Amino acid sequence: MNIMKLKDVSYYYTPDRPVLHHLDVSFDTGKMYVVLGPSGCGKTTLLSLIGGLDVPKGGFVLYENQDINRIGLEQHRRSNVSFIFQSYNLIPHQTILANVELALTISGVSKEVRRKKAIAALEKVGLGKQLHKRPSQMSGGQMQRVAIARALVNDPEILLADEPTGALDSDTSIQVMDLLQEVAKER
């Protein structure tokens, strides 16, 4: 079943510099997709459009056959998608538990439920015994796992990862990709 579809999507920074030109693509539930290409070809722009961080200059971005502009971009980001960024975007003075809980705070979840869900997400990524560490006390791979836990804690249908292994060594990259493949089976 198609969960996301881009129909005739175009995007440009200036009219003479198109990034995406009349793109038609669909994404099915339960599958993992990888977008490859050289720097500047539109990979991050594509993720931004799917995630509702930006809007196309032409065409439509559909979630379950509904235009995400009609759903509301903020609602789409809050309910349907989560992001994993290459730079982790963790708050350095907060514990990893607090970093993961923050995603639920924004969604208005009660403190008790936030704590339980954040702990469960951190356990899922293998960090259940390190809840009170701060990002500066962790390796790059561990910080990426925190970022993945934070993205998973709201149970999004779609998980968007922008170069999730770009800052990691080969072994850790394999571990993170294995974890993402496992998650893809559920989403």
Side-chain angles (χ1 to χ4, degrees):
M1 176 182 123
N2 292 143
I3 192 161
M4 287 296 306
K5 189 180 293 186
L6 283 74
K7 292 179 74 173
D8 198 32
V9 167
S10 293
Y11 190 89
Y12 52 84
Y13 295 106
T14 61
D16 62 328
R17 189 176 158 231
V19 178
L20 302 173
H21 189 66
H22 299 290
L23 178 66
D24 286 307
V25 65
S26 58
F27 302 95
D28 293 334
T29 302
K31 292 187 178 179
M32 181 174 175
Y33 295 87
V34 177
V35 179
L36 300 171
S39 180
C41 75
K43 299 179 301 287
T44 297
T45 300
L46 176 63
L47 293 179
S48 293
L49 293 170
I50 291 169
L53 293 174
D54 211 341
V55 294
K57 305 294 185 185
F60 301 94
V61 178
L62 307 172
Y63 172 79
E64 294 183 341
N65 290 318
Q66 190 174 18
D67 186 344
I68 65 171
N69 286 309
R70 286 203 172 153
I71 296 169
L73 298 179
E74 185 178 327
Q75 179 64 33
H76 176 63
R77 288 189 303 266
R78 189 180 319 117
S79 303
N80 306 327
V81 299
S82 280
F83 293 88
I84 301 170
F85 300 100
Q86 179 180 356
S87 60
Y88 319 126
N89 291 341
L90 301 177
I91 301 170
H93 65 276
Q94 296 280 353
T95 65
I96 64 168
L97 179 59
N99 268 278
V100 174
E101 282 182 303
L102 181 61
L104 294 167
T105 302
I106 293 168
S107 296
V109 175
S110 72
K111 185 174 183 170
E112 182 180 318
V113 173
R114 274 196 321 255
R115 178 74 32 121
K116 286 179 184 177
K117 288 184 89 170
I119 290 170
L122 286 163
E123 286 173 347
K124 182 174 184 104
V125 299
L127 295 174
K129 295 183 180 183
Q130 301 184 44
L131 304 175
H132 302 291
K133 283 189 174 182
R134 300 200 187 301
S136 63
Q137 298 171 304
M138 308 190 92
S139 70
Q142 289 172 319
M143 286 191 289
Q144 189 62 293
R145 288 174 185 273
V146 175
I148 292 169
R150 183 184 55 206
L152 294 175
V153 76
N154 274 325
D155 296 319
E157 289 293 321
I158 299 169
L159 189 60
L160 301 171
D162 192 2
E163 298 190 38
T165 62
L168 304 176
D169 62 72
S170 298
D171 290 340
T172 306
S173 293
I174 291 168
Q175 292 171 2
V176 167
M177 289 307 295
D178 287 346
L179 178 59
L180 290 174
Q181 285 178 329
E182 180 183 322
V183 167
K185 294 174 188 171
E186 305 166 3
R187 300 180 194 290

